[in-house]
Amino acid sequence: METQETQSTSSGQEKIKIGWFSFSCCEDSTVIMTEIMNEHWQDWKKMFDFRHARVLKSNNILDELDIAFIEGAIAGPDQEEKVKEIRSKTKKLVAIGACACIGLPAGQRNTFTEAQKAEIQFLIDRFGALPSVLKLSDVVTVDAQVPGCPMNPDAFLKAVDGLVKELRPKS
Ligand code: SF4
């Protein structure tokens, strides 16, 4: 297994280890997150260790996380397995955006008529997709949800603050 040195804050406390993951979706909440960073990066880099965030860096490690933020719905068995792996390696898991929270709009095919489903069955077969698209909580335990399409920035910051207080009550 790949490892990566743990980072510490200036006070010697271990930084909060963060992962950001995208599944079946348009990744607009990732764009929102990077926009939020324009104002919060200076503070975040002091307290967060971004161990897995493809939008921010190329060297990504999935070993142990404090918080995993996950956007997108789960459309295939490979995604199901990956989400379970992330769950097993993180203390907190946060569903980001409507696709992760309720499975829509990414899971629109779930709402198709039987005739429409029959028309797209060849694609389901070709890509080995699940019969229905799942929301995150159908697959793993979710600790917090940030709704919106894309995610609501204020709700995201509130969730981040709450989790930081929970994970580092004395900081
Ligand atoms: S919730 Fe909306 S913005 Fe987020 S991934 Fe789904 S479609 Fe895109």
Side-chain angles (χ1 to χ4, degrees):
M1 184 180 77
E2 275 188 284
T3 56
Q4 194 177 61
E5 214 171 289
T6 298
Q7 296 179 12
S8 300
T9 64
S10 55
S11 63
Q13 202 169 32
E14 210 176 273
K15 286 187 181 179
I16 294 174
K17 296 185 275 295
I18 301 285
W20 183 277
F21 304 88
S22 302
F23 286 90
S24 290
C25 68
C26 71
E27 302 193 35
D28 266 10
S29 291
T30 295
V31 175
I32 298 290
M33 187 270 285
T34 56
E35 288 291 332
I36 290 171
M37 277 193 163
N38 286 329
E39 286 190 12
H40 293 268
W41 177 245
Q42 293 299 331
D43 293 331
W44 284 5
K45 72 178 182 185
K46 289 179 201 151
M47 64 178 170
F48 294 148
D49 170 7
F50 287 90
R51 293 180 90 73
H52 196 296
R54 286 197 173 139
V55 69
L56 302 177
K57 57 185 214 164
S58 51
N59 179 25
N60 292 287
I61 302 285
L62 179 51
D63 52 358
E64 55 174 43
L65 298 170
D66 291 306
I67 311 171
F69 296 101
I70 302 182
E71 71 171 340
I74 304 304
D78 53 336
Q79 296 184 346
E80 230 180 339
E81 287 316 304
K82 187 73 183 176
V83 165
K84 286 178 185 170
E85 183 190 1
I86 295 166
R87 175 71 269 185
S88 73
K89 293 177 176 174
T90 190
K91 290 182 185 140
K92 302 288 180 186
L93 189 148
V94 184
I96 294 289
C99 291
C101 294
I102 62 170
L104 289 168
Q108 199 180 1
R109 69 174 162 92
N110 293 355
T111 67
F112 283 8
T113 64
E114 289 310 312
Q116 288 170 321
K117 284 180 182 171
E119 280 185 45
I120 62 160
Q121 188 57 45
F122 76 101
L123 287 170
I124 306 291
D125 296 340
R126 182 182 299 168
F127 294 106
L130 292 168
S132 296
V133 179
L134 306 173
K135 59 187 182 295
L136 275 188
S137 62
D138 289 331
V139 184
V140 292
T141 300
V142 171
D143 300 299
Q145 305 207 24
V146 180
C149 178
M151 71 168 178
N152 178 297
D154 292 335
F156 174 68
L157 288 170
K158 200 172 164 194
V160 169
D161 278 352
L163 289 163
V164 168
K165 285 194 179 88
E166 204 178 320
L167 291 162
R168 296 288 184 275
K170 289 177 187 161
S171 60

